[in-house]
Amino acid sequence: MGGPWSGVRERVLALREAPHWKTVFGAHCPGHGHDFELLPTLDEQELRAVERGLGTHLPKEYRTFLGEVGAGGAGPDYGLFPLRPPAPGAPPATGHAALPFRPERTAELDRLERAEPRRADHPDEAALAAAYAAWTARCDELDDTLTQGTLCVSSQGCGYYSLLVVTGPLRGTMWDDVRAVGEGVLPIRRKDDDRPLPFTDWYLHWLTTAERDAWNPPPRPRLTTDP
């Protein structure tokens, strides 16, 4: 075993012994915290079954993560969702993940939402109702396409999610699903780089930060009072 995931599983599990691990966001939340635990890894047969279930091939670095680190558990925010092969007799894939990811749809939906039908532009209430129904249907259709070609890998809480692109030119990169506040799907970026983060960088950045906070949290500021 080598590459970016060498020793990562051991580093994650070691954090269960860190004195301040409960201070790491998402680690200790009864009912949905990850507690720095990892699911078992997937073997090649299981990985192929997962891909058949999704209808697409997984990005290489995420695929090797599943095979070397774990199939879910400790990770950014509230942890990584479990990913398991479909059970026997499970319904066929919807094909949603196999469709190309189209990030431009967020801007398209934003433009459409700002073009909400107005009463002044229609001759009567019936015409307005028909236009509004068509507009709503198109908004719903576009909203559903925002996540095509992606796999939802983590919850950030409050209805926000982290998405991994699995199909299309941007496969392997991470995106924020912030539709809960009407902002669509946006790239997760470094502060000094406009490109969306690859899955490996996203996960390893979280691990480095978690290690820092769990073993050596920053000192609390002293409370002072004026003389």
Side-chain angles (χ1 to χ4, degrees), residues 9 11 24 31 44 59 61 68 92-93 101 105 111 113 117 120 146 154 170 181 185 192 196 198 205 226:
R9 183 176 176 89
R11 287 170 61 188
V24 176
E44 182 61 26
E61 291 181 340
E68 297 179 14
F101 175 58
R105 285 290 176 87
R111 290 191 297 270
E113 288 177 336
L146 296 185
S154 179
L170 291 165
V181 289
V185 174
D192 58 348
H205 173 74
D226 294 330

Side-chain angles (χ1 to χ4, degrees), residues 25-27 32-34 72-81 153-155 202 206:
F25 177 78
H32 55 276
H34 57 72
D77 302 308
Y78 291 102
L80 301 182
F81 292 132
V153 296
S154 179
S155 170
W202 176 74
W206 164 80

Side-chain angles (χ1 to χ4, degrees), residues 41-53 63 67 84-86:
T41 57
L42 301 180
D43 62 27
E44 182 61 26
Q45 183 177 356
E46 291 171 324
L47 287 167
R48 291 178 181 177
V50 166
E51 291 176 327
R52 287 194 299 271
R63 198 178 195 276
R84 300 184 177 92

Side-chain angles (χ1 to χ4, degrees), residues 193-214:
D193 193 336
D194 286 338
R195 294 173 296 179
L197 275 177
F199 174 80
T200 304
D201 293 5
W202 176 74
Y203 191 88
L204 292 180
H205 173 74
W206 164 80
L207 178 55
T208 300
T209 302
E211 288 174 324
R212 180 199 66 199
D213 293 345

Side-chain angles (χ1 to χ4, degrees), residues 5 7 14 22 53 63 75 79 87 111 116 118 136 173 209 219 224 226:
W5 305 122
K22 291 183 180 180
R63 198 178 195 276
R111 290 191 297 270
E116 181 176 355
R118 301 181 304 166
T136 300
T173 60
T209 302
T224 60
D226 294 330

Side-chain angles (χ1 to χ4, degrees), residues 109-132:
L109 178 59
D110 181 62
R111 290 191 297 270
L112 181 63
E113 288 177 336
R114 287 187 278 109
E116 181 176 355
R118 301 181 304 166
R119 176 64 182 86
D121 297 330
H122 299 83
D124 52 43
E125 292 297 333
L128 174 62
Y132 202 89

